[in-house]
């Protein structure tokens, strides 16, 4: 087995035990990338020389044995909407051109401080808008389980990199499902923390009232370890909270007896792939056998979530993306005056989906339509959040499918944005309500494509989600299956 196949916690332990060096581990990861990324296309930018320098520095710290950071010497990939000082950052958009950020995102700074090795930047849907990674201005990433299928999105590159051992773990962002849905599509673990748990300073903003940073990993323990490393208050992000960060990895042990699991009836409706429903229901049965109490609950405003999201998210995006004007970053069109510079730079620089959202967002915020759309959407958003508040009076976690289907074929939904938007029907309401949620593997369909189960928790109760997910994972074998990329 290649060292690149190790989990984060295994790799960290073995590094600290001196079984191999960070340079060896980093070399193994780059070998794996060289062997597979021509087919998968997970990475937009690789940073081999800098990574090896970081690995050498980590090896010196490891030899000194005065540092027990679990990330020390471990190669990690970043979605390409994290600012990385001096390393090209594109958000998979032409408009950022060869943008070299002048500083690191707070989460990147934390990873570096903990001694992690930054492998490179992974592909995504342009500005994190999409569910298939096909909206990238550069190329589409392929699903390691079937190269003709999408890896999910928008963190599709990160999910594919983790699933194919092109890194030990990765960080993604999730505004409406972009960590969890690709995690489900690629058979890995993805955790969207509570809004405010992790700093977004230095993340290229999409919809600021929902964007969150989170781990994408090979197992649940790794998600706990990585969350612990990136969570916490950041004075540079006023939405990050100052609650102490629990030792998530210490809380994984223990059973789930007596835990109350809610199953929302609105999430099991027509349109879901039969095998997804069967797998999630079987998983719920397993939780019951482990002593959890399972109860049907209702989240009555679920049916409005997608509509509300595409008003709120596009409104915020239209404002956030106003800064890409051809003057401050990236590419600038040659034009006769300032207005024409804005117009042509934006027309050339943004892709079709981003333009669609800027137009929709500008429309719902415009005088005359603001009350009818934006304000109404914000009111319904409050109702959606209240549904969760009510539900969590009766249960400790909520379990649902992560996505209605397994990964679909490349190109299947690119002509129909509304169909694409439905990929996030089970993840979006969680962002609207600010809750934490994790996706983990719970089965395969008849084509051997992974199926994801979503575990939603109370605000700031990532610990309970992780404990339940870890328990389920340890009593099943799903996380041990890996894609056979060489065979295809
Ligand atoms: N797929 C959703 C969208 O297109 C969510 C994206 C995200 O979470 N960044 O907006």
């Amino acid at each position: 087995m290649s060292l690149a196949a190790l989990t984060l916690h295994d790799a960290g332990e073995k590094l600290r035990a001196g079984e191999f060096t960070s340079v060896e581990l980093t070399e193994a990861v780059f070998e794996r990338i060289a062997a597979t990324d021509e087919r998968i296309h997970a990475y937009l930018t690789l940073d081999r020389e800098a990574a090896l320098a970081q690995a050498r520095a980590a090896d010196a710290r490891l030899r000194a044995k005065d540092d027990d950071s679990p990330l020390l010497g471990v190669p990690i990939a970043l979605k390409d909407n994290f600012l990385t000082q001096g390393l090209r950052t594109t958000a998979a958009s032409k408009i950022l051109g060869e943008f070299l950020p002048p500083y690191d995102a707070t989460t990147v700074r934390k990873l570096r401080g903990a001694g992690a090795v930054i492998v490179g930047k992974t592909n995504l849907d342009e500005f994190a808008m999409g569910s298939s990674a096909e909206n990238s201005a550069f190329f589409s990433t392929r699903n390691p389980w079937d190269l003709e299928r999408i890896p999910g999105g928008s963190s599709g590159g990160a999910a594919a990199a983790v699933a194919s051992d092109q890194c030990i773990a990765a960080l993604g962002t999730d505004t409406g499902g972009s960590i969890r849905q690709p995690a489900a599509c690629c058979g890995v673990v993805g955790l969207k923390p509570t809004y405010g748990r992790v700093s977004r300073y230095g993340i290229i903003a999409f919809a600021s009232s929902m964007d969150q940073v989170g781990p994408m990993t090979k197992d649940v323990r790794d998600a706990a370890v990585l969350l612990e490393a990136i969570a916490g208050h950041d004075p540079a992000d006023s939405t990050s909270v100052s609650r102490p960060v629990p030792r998530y990895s210490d809380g994984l042990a223990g059973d789930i007896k007596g835990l109350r699991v809610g199953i929302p009836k609105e999430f099991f409706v027509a349109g879901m792939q039969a095998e997804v429903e069967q797998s999630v229901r079987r998983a719920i049965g397993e939780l019951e056998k482990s002593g959890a109490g399972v109860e049907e609950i209702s989240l009555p405003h679920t049916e409005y979530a997608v509509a509300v999201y595409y008003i709120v998210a596009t409104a915020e995006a239209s404002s956030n993306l106003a800064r890409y004007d051809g003057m401050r970053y990236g590419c600038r069109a040659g034009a006769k005056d300032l207005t024409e510079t804005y117009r042509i730079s934006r027309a050339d620089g943004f892709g079709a989906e981003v333009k669609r959202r800027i137009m929709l967002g500008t429309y719902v915020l415009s005088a005359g339509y603001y009350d009818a759309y934006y304000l109404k959407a914000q009111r319904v958003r409050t109702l959606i959040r209240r549904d969760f508040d009510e539900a969590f009076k009766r249960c400790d976690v909520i379990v649902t499918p992560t996505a209605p289907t397994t990964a679909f074929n490349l190109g299947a939904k690119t002509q129909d944005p509304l169909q694409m938007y439905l990929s996030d029907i089970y993840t979006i309401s969680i962002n609207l309500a600010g809750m934490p949620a994790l996706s983990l593997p719970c089965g395969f369909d008849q084509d051997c494509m992974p199926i994801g189960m979503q575990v939603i928790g109370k605000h700031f109760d990532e610990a309970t989600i992780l404990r339940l997910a870890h328990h389920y994972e340890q009593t099943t074998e799903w996380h041990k299956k890996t894609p056979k990329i060489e065979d295809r």
Side-chain angles (χ1 to χ4, degrees):
M1 188 181 83
S2 160
L3 294 181
L6 290 170
T7 59
L8 193 163
H9 57 90
D10 272 348
E13 254 166 49
K14 292 183 192 312
L15 282 167
R16 288 190 295 283
E19 289 186 30
F20 47 78
T21 65
S22 173
V23 168
E24 285 164 343
L25 178 61
T26 304
E27 294 277 19
V29 164
F30 278 96
E31 266 164 38
R32 181 73 181 159
I33 293 170
T36 55
D37 208 38
E38 263 173 35
R39 281 166 290 162
I40 293 177
H41 303 290
Y43 283 93
L44 285 170
T45 305
L46 288 168
D47 201 18
R48 189 167 193 278
E49 290 317 308
L52 286 168
Q54 291 156 26
R56 282 191 293 273
D59 282 332
R61 275 167 74 175
L62 283 161
R63 276 194 302 273
K65 292 197 186 301
D66 61 350
D67 192 332
D68 61 353
S69 164
L71 303 188
L72 184 54
V74 179
I76 295 198
L78 300 169
K79 184 178 181 179
D80 202 21
N81 58 352
F82 286 70
L83 298 192
T84 42
Q85 186 173 10
L87 179 62
R88 185 175 82 133
T89 300
T90 67
S93 182
K94 262 168 58 187
I95 206 155
L96 276 160
E98 296 295 310
F99 177 57
L100 297 177
Y103 63 92
D104 278 331
T106 296
T107 40
V108 176
R109 196 170 45 73
K110 287 192 171 191
L111 291 187
R112 289 196 202 280
V117 171
I118 307 297
V119 178
K121 311 294 291 288
T122 55
N123 199 20
L124 64 153
D125 290 292
E126 186 175 0
F127 286 104
M129 297 176 185
S131 307
S132 67
E134 291 166 298
N135 292 336
S136 167
F138 301 105
F139 44 75
S140 296
T141 298
R142 305 197 164 227
N143 192 309
W145 294 89
D146 177 349
L147 299 177
E148 297 311 312
R149 301 200 195 210
I150 58 120
S154 62
S155 314
V162 174
S164 57
D165 299 328
Q166 294 184 352
C167 59
I168 302 299
L171 290 185
T173 61
D174 190 314
T175 305
S178 278
I179 287 177
R180 292 160 284 159
Q181 185 260 8
C185 287
C186 292
V188 301
V189 173
L191 170 61
K192 184 206 88 81
T194 310
Y195 187 77
R197 181 71 288 184
V198 180
S199 166
R200 291 99 45 82
Y201 182 66
I203 303 303
I204 296 179
F206 162 16
S208 307
S209 76
M210 292 178 282
D211 297 343
Q212 264 297 294
V213 170
M216 305 184 73
T217 56
K218 294 176 190 175
D219 69 10
V220 174
R221 179 171 294 279
D222 282 3
V225 171
L226 202 45
L227 177 62
E228 221 166 280
I230 59 171
H233 180 245
D234 175 9
D237 177 357
S238 61
T239 66
S240 73
V241 302
S242 53
R243 285 170 172 249
V245 179
R247 302 263 315 171
Y248 296 110
S249 49
D250 289 349
L252 295 175
D255 59 35
I256 57 166
K257 283 201 183 63
L259 214 63
R260 296 168 306 164
V261 178
I263 312 298
K265 60 170 187 265
E266 292 81 2
F267 280 57
F268 292 84
V269 288
M272 189 187 327
Q273 189 177 328
E275 295 149 299
V276 171
E277 169 153 15
Q278 285 153 14
S279 291
V280 175
R281 290 213 185 270
R282 190 181 49 219
I284 293 165
E286 297 287 332
L287 297 175
E288 223 168 354
K289 275 191 220 144
S290 297
V294 172
E295 186 186 342
E296 185 178 273
I297 58 159
S298 175
L299 297 167
H301 297 92
T302 298
E303 63 174 306
Y304 305 110
V306 173
V308 168
Y309 172 85
Y310 278 95
I311 292 173
V312 175
T314 57
E316 295 181 18
S318 73
S319 164
N320 274 326
L321 271 58
R323 73 189 73 176
Y324 305 103
D325 55 5
M327 305 308 289
R328 281 173 277 206
Y329 318 85
C331 57
R332 176 183 305 169
K336 68 176 185 327
D337 57 26
L338 186 63
T339 314
E340 198 181 276
T341 306
Y342 293 158
R343 195 168 52 73
I344 302 179
S345 301
R346 287 168 70 82
D348 289 350
F350 289 134
E353 181 62 26
V354 175
K355 286 179 189 159
R356 185 178 296 123
R357 296 198 188 197
I358 291 173
M359 287 192 284
L360 189 58
T362 307
Y363 177 80
V364 299
L365 288 177
S366 57
Y369 294 105
Y370 181 87
D371 289 2
Y373 294 109
Y374 184 73
L375 214 57
K376 174 85 69 59
Q378 290 291 19
R379 292 197 171 122
V380 181
R381 180 179 189 173
T382 301
L383 298 177
I384 290 171
R385 210 200 54 234
R386 282 190 197 147
D387 283 355
F388 281 102
D389 292 345
E390 280 306 307
F392 278 120
K393 286 180 187 159
R394 296 172 53 192
C395 53
D396 304 304
V397 292
I398 295 173
V399 169
T400 75
T402 305
T405 67
T406 55
F408 43 87
N409 284 334
L410 285 150
K413 299 191 180 173
T414 40
Q415 299 312 312
D416 189 348
L418 292 181
Q419 274 305 314
M420 191 70 92
Y421 295 172
L422 291 177
S423 309
D424 294 304
I425 190 161
Y426 298 139
T427 47
I428 267 174
S429 52
I430 287 86
N431 299 73
L432 288 166
M435 326 300 297
L438 175 146
S439 177
L440 83 163
C442 73
F444 289 86
D445 71 6
Q446 59 185 12
D447 298 329
C448 285
M449 295 308 291
I451 295 170
M453 165 165 85
Q454 175 171 243
V455 187
I456 310 162
K458 297 177 183 170
H459 284 124
F460 296 101
D461 193 15
E462 284 82 357
T464 302
I465 298 179
L466 287 161
R467 179 158 61 92
L468 177 121
H470 183 255
H471 181 89
Y472 174 76
E473 179 188 74
Q474 295 307 307
T475 53
T476 56
E477 298 283 309
W478 309 116
H479 65 294
K480 296 192 180 145
K481 293 206 180 355
T482 50
K484 302 274 174 293
I485 302 158
E486 281 77 13
D487 298 346
R488 292 180 195 275

